[in-house]
Amino acid sequence: MNYYSKLRRQTSSIFPHLVPDRYRELMQVGRQWRQLKLLKWNGFAHEKRQPASGELALFCPACPQPGINAPQPDQRDRDDPEWLYARSLVMDGNFKAKHLHPTRPEDEVWLTDGMCFMVTRDKYKAHLADAKDNVQMSECNNHRAVNQANASRHKLEATGIGGGFLCRKYREAVKGVSESMAAFQKLNDAADSLVVEKWEEQDRQAQMRRLADPAAMDVFDVQLQKAPSRKQQELALLSRVGRGVGNAHRGAATWIASGITIEELQISLLMDVRRLGKHPTETQRLEIGRRRTKLQNRIDEFAIAAVTHLGEDFDLDDDIRDMEVEFTDHSEQEVDGATDSEQDPHEDPRCNVFRPENVLIPLPSNIGIQRCTELGVVHLVGQEIALREGQANDALQAIRVLLADKAVLFRTTVRPAKSQVKVTRAWTQVHSVERVIRLHTMIYAKCRAQLGHLEAHTLLKKYLRMEKCHLKATAAVADPNARGQRNSTLPWFWSLDVQGDSVSNDWMNECASPSDDYSYQTMTENSL
């Protein structure tokens, strides 16, 4: 009707309602035009004979047609798998298609009766006369499709359309067979022969028992373990203490974990101080002062406990230097653009009495492996590596969740905002999420730097450097099946577990394996 209304307005833009109604004639001409195009497409433009049944149906070159685009059964290669030439029929129905009984059947003209995809009217009526209409009882509450199919349509000649389609794309399948076989052979050659025999036995047992016990097919499920968090790593270390391994160093894992927490608080405080700029208010300076006092108390407690775990030969004044933090985004520098190294000569000197956020706490990664060896506490290195791995996993998980939240905010809040008030509030939410993303990014960068000090080179290959371009929100996170996402690739940390499995020597077992950095497992057991 929209097209017809447009024609009426083009005919008489001032009085379109006075244009004679030619809608029925337009629909009749449209049907005739579609029939002429259909005859032309199928080669009947200059032939006098009438098309036979099904000759106007479109030919599908992707469907396997024996003798046309697929070999005959007696000409097939015996080495080809059975599924290559199998046809998968997909049934679908449209219960909303309706055709009323014609008021004057003698005036009805059927242009393509049985020439396309539908059967002829006579065959359809013969089928209705013989077929029994079994009403299907719906097991769902108010299932619309079943309700429409069961509705009484005594005034209708046809109440639905059903169809079957061949969905096997033969050409793509033939091309994919060789690629799949090559990839499978490469995977099979890389696997241990004993593991392959075990898999084949599991496959045989599952195929034999699947009819009687469907749970036997669970062996084909992927059994990847999630990356351990810092709490899980600490619990694993403490459980070894509970089993009586290394009671002389009880509590070392908790002490190191508390030091890692202090480092995270220092990074958070550094970011807040950096964001205030050169001229903070008295309320802001008071809040920073209180946070520095609490942080200094925790550092003092940590330093007192350091003597217990590092030995009496350790001196806190051996190597005191400021903590270095790598800022991944310089947007934290506000209007004045102040940095940590630059001091404003007009700044209140009372704010610079002490800066606990710059103090380097005595962790094994800060004092160095050589110094730990001299003190006889090299066992603490393995424990910190385990906790740092958990810290990196936690930081990356937080970054993934926050980037997904940011993408959702852009889609549901920023783009629909129309007024200035809604736009301002929407961008305030986005900036709040960005600040938390920067915090976890800096924590991850610091964790990676500490792993480098611990010489955990294998873990550094797994946990790559975080670049600024990796922190962009992408629509592939919120809707990976959206249009235009075909060639979009996510950064490396979105598939970290898959990459970690491929780096590990035991990746074929589809489970996480402990790192062998600096004899990790041995040092962890000896450290407790």
Side-chain angles (χ1 to χ4, degrees):
M1 290 296 295
N2 292 333
Y3 178 70
Y4 179 70
S5 299
K6 180 68 173 179
L7 291 179
R8 294 177 65 181
R9 289 194 300 271
Q10 289 289 341
T11 304
S12 177
S13 60
I14 301 177
F15 304 105
H17 60 284
L18 299 179
V19 177
D21 189 3
R22 297 290 185 264
Y23 183 72
R24 292 177 58 87
E25 290 79 357
L26 177 65
M27 298 299 295
Q28 181 179 357
V29 171
R31 294 190 185 98
Q32 293 175 351
W33 171 256
R34 286 196 297 269
Q35 185 199 24
L36 293 176
K37 295 292 290 185
L38 192 61
L39 292 171
K40 178 182 177 182
W41 291 339
N42 291 274
F44 291 93
H46 304 286
E47 291 189 13
K48 294 182 179 181
R49 71 178 184 89
Q50 293 294 325
S53 177
E55 285 192 338
L56 296 184
L58 297 178
F59 176 77
C60 180
C63 298
Q65 309 285 345
I68 299 177
N69 57 3
Q72 296 289 349
D74 55 347
Q75 299 176 355
R76 297 174 183 173
D77 192 351
R78 297 181 179 179
D79 296 333
D80 291 342
E82 296 180 358
W83 57 263
L84 180 60
Y85 303 105
R87 291 187 178 185
S88 299
L89 296 178
V90 180
M91 302 300 297
D92 194 7
N94 181 8
F95 301 111
K96 292 186 178 181
K98 304 168 186 174
H99 188 267
L100 293 171
H101 287 287
T103 57
R104 288 180 292 184
E106 63 276 5
D107 293 339
E108 294 291 328
V109 178
W110 299 87
L111 299 179
T112 57
D113 186 21
M115 298 178 185
C116 295
F117 298 97
M118 304 297 177
V119 296
T120 59
R121 295 178 64 249
D122 296 336
K123 291 183 179 179
Y124 178 65
K125 290 182 178 181
H127 166 73
L128 293 179
D130 297 336
K132 276 179 122 179
D133 189 8
N134 296 324
V135 179
Q136 179 183 1
M137 300 302 298
S138 175
E139 299 178 357
C140 302
N141 183 18
N142 195 20
H143 194 281
R144 292 185 179 180
V146 179
N147 293 342
Q148 291 175 358
N150 296 335
S152 177
R153 308 296 174 92
H154 61 279
K155 295 183 179 181
L156 300 178
E157 184 182 20
T159 58
I161 300 175
F165 307 93
L166 290 170
C167 65
R168 175 65 64 186
K169 295 185 177 180
Y170 175 75
R171 292 184 179 179
E172 295 182 2
V174 172
K175 181 180 178 181
V177 167
S178 58
E179 297 178 357
S180 300
M181 292 299 295
F184 179 79
Q185 188 62 35
K186 184 178 180 180
L187 181 68
N188 192 44
D189 295 340
D192 189 1
S193 58
L194 298 178
V195 176
V196 174
E197 293 179 1
K198 180 180 178 181
W199 287 347
E200 292 176 349
E201 180 62 25
Q202 290 178 349
D203 177 63
R204 284 192 293 268
Q205 294 295 331
Q207 297 295 339
M208 292 172 56
R209 297 165 47 197
R210 66 175 184 174
L211 297 179
D213 184 15
M217 304 297 291
D218 293 343
V219 295
F220 297 105
D221 291 340
V222 178
Q223 302 174 2
L224 289 175
Q225 295 181 359
K226 294 184 178 180
S229 63
R230 198 182 78 182
K231 292 182 179 179
Q232 292 175 344
Q233 295 287 67
E234 184 178 355
L235 286 173
L237 296 174
L238 294 177
S239 64
R240 293 193 181 123
V241 176
R243 294 196 300 265
V245 181
N247 293 330
H249 304 288
R250 187 186 302 272
T254 304
W255 173 72
I256 296 176
S258 64
I260 295 176
T261 303
I262 290 175
E263 277 190 353
E264 294 178 354
L265 294 175
Q266 288 178 313
I267 294 174
S268 177
L269 184 56
L270 274 171
M271 289 184 60
D272 294 340
V273 173
R274 196 169 191 249
R275 189 169 59 251
L276 293 180
K278 295 182 180 180
H279 305 289
T281 63
E282 292 182 353
T283 303
Q284 292 173 340
R285 291 203 301 266
L286 179 60
E287 178 65 23
I288 294 298
R290 290 174 178 175
R291 291 177 60 182
R292 284 174 172 172
T293 301
K294 294 180 181 179
L295 180 59
Q296 185 62 49
N297 292 336
R298 300 192 63 167
I299 293 176
D300 293 341
E301 295 176 359
F302 181 82
I304 293 174
V307 180
T308 304
H309 301 285
L310 297 177
E312 298 180 354
D313 295 336
F314 175 73
D315 188 359
L316 291 175
D317 297 329
D318 280 352
D319 188 9
I320 300 297
R321 63 183 187 274
D322 291 342
M323 183 177 67
E324 297 179 358
V325 178
E326 180 181 359
F327 289 89
T328 58
D329 191 354
H330 296 284
S331 62
E332 290 293 344
Q333 297 177 347
E334 296 295 338
V335 180
D336 295 331
T339 61
D340 295 328
S341 59
E342 298 175 354
Q343 299 297 333
D344 186 8
H346 302 290
E347 187 178 0
D348 191 349
R350 290 174 293 180
C351 298
N352 296 323
V353 175
F354 68 100
R355 292 177 176 268
E357 65 270 18
N358 294 330
V359 175
L360 202 67
I361 58 178
L363 283 170
S365 55
N366 291 331
I367 64 179
I369 296 180
Q370 182 178 358
R371 181 59 175 162
C372 289
T373 305
E374 296 174 357
L375 296 174
V377 292
V378 71
H379 53 273
L380 298 179
V381 175
Q383 296 191 45
E384 184 172 358
I385 289 178
L387 294 173
R388 292 291 182 181
E389 183 179 4
Q391 183 190 22
N393 294 330
D394 292 342
L396 292 177
Q397 175 63 16
I399 292 174
R400 286 191 289 262
V401 173
L402 291 169
L403 287 177
D405 292 343
K406 184 178 177 182
V408 173
L409 280 177
F410 273 108
R411 185 177 181 181
T412 60
T413 307
V414 177
R415 293 175 183 173
K418 301 302 180 182
S419 63
Q420 183 67 29
V421 175
K422 293 183 178 180
V423 170
T424 303
R425 292 177 180 176
W427 278 105
T428 301
Q429 297 180 26
V430 172
H431 293 157
S432 178
V433 174
E434 287 178 346
R435 282 195 293 269
V436 184
I437 292 176
R438 285 194 292 268
L439 171 62
H440 288 286
T441 303
M442 292 174 59
I443 291 175
Y444 173 79
K446 179 64 177 178
C447 173
R448 193 174 184 277
Q450 298 297 73
L451 287 174
H453 297 160
L454 296 172
E455 300 182 4
H457 301 298
T458 304
L459 282 180
L460 292 178
K461 295 179 181 178
K462 176 181 178 181
Y463 299 99
L464 305 179
R465 181 181 177 87
M466 185 73 68
E467 302 293 345
K468 186 177 179 180
C469 59
H470 296 160
L471 303 178
K472 293 182 179 180
T474 173
V477 178
D479 189 5
N481 296 323
R483 183 177 181 181
Q485 302 295 338
R486 176 181 178 183
N487 297 323
S488 298
T489 56
L490 294 174
W492 59 270
F493 55 84
W494 289 97
S495 58
L496 177 64
D497 294 340
V498 178
Q499 183 176 0
D501 295 333
S502 62
V503 171
S504 173
N505 293 330
D506 298 331
W507 67 280
M508 297 295 294
N509 295 329
E510 293 183 341
C511 63
S513 60
S515 173
D516 58 349
D517 291 308
Y518 208 80
S519 303
Y520 160 71
Q521 186 175 1
T522 305
M523 285 193 294
T524 304
E525 294 180 352
N526 295 335
S527 62
L528 298 174

